[in-house]
Amino acid sequence: YYCPKLITVPLFNTQNVTDMGSMFNYCTNLTTVPLFNTSKVINMNNMFYYCPKLITVPLFNTQNVTNMNGMFYVCSNLTELPIFDIRSVTNIKDMITGTQITKITFKNKPANLEITPEILGKPDVQITFI
């Protein structure tokens, strides 16, 4: 959290981590992150909040994540995301607000979760579910 000099992140063991909320919040010079083991993560709330130089994100295992609120909020250089599995998500508000993303695809949409461009924080985004 709040590491403005951080540019890249080394791969470290995250196999037992359940909460990555705000982990890289305000890391304003962060450009890339490695593919962490996120199989047990439940919370990714604001994980990359205000990381304007972030340009790529790997395909994290998100099948157990319930909170993706503000995950990429104001990641203004981000143009695309991998296809995240959102089967457990209950909060996805403002996930891509302030990004350059124009299309997003999700896997395993929960029946009880409304997902609209406005909820994602990007009124012009095209949403696809597979």
Side-chain angles (χ1 to χ4, degrees):
Y1 178 88
Y2 196 73
C3 297
K5 293 183 181 181
L6 187 66
I7 296 171
T8 60
V9 178
L11 183 60
F12 48 91
N13 185 343
T14 57
Q15 70 181 3
N16 293 314
V17 175
T18 59
D19 189 344
M20 288 187 163
S22 298
M23 189 170 178
F24 300 105
N25 191 326
Y26 277 92
C27 293
T28 54
N29 286 298
L30 184 65
T31 57
T32 60
V33 291
L35 178 58
F36 295 118
N37 179 344
T38 57
S39 62
K40 294 182 182 176
V41 175
I42 296 168
N43 184 25
M44 290 185 171
N45 177 56
N46 296 331
M47 187 173 173
F48 298 101
Y49 186 100
Y50 201 72
C51 292
K53 293 187 180 178
L54 187 66
I55 53 173
T56 60
V57 177
L59 177 58
F60 295 124
N61 179 341
T62 57
Q63 68 182 13
N64 293 313
V65 176
T66 61
N67 191 350
M68 289 183 163
N69 177 60
M71 190 171 171
F72 300 104
Y73 191 92
V74 190
C75 292
S76 52
N77 278 306
L78 205 55
T79 59
E80 63 182 356
L81 289 175
I83 300 172
F84 290 128
D85 183 334
I86 60 167
R87 72 181 72 190
S88 302
V89 172
T90 58
N91 186 353
I92 202 160
K93 188 173 185 324
D94 293 324
M95 180 185 181
I96 57 173
T97 297
T99 67
Q100 293 185 42
I101 295 169
T102 58
K103 298 177 183 178
I104 191 165
T105 302
F106 294 112
K107 182 179 175 184
N108 296 322
K109 180 188 177 291
N112 62 341
L113 182 65
E114 181 181 11
I115 300 177
T116 65
E118 291 75 21
I119 288 172
L120 290 175
K122 191 79 172 170
D124 58 342
V125 74
Q126 177 186 345
I127 305 169
T128 305
F129 300 101
I130 58 171

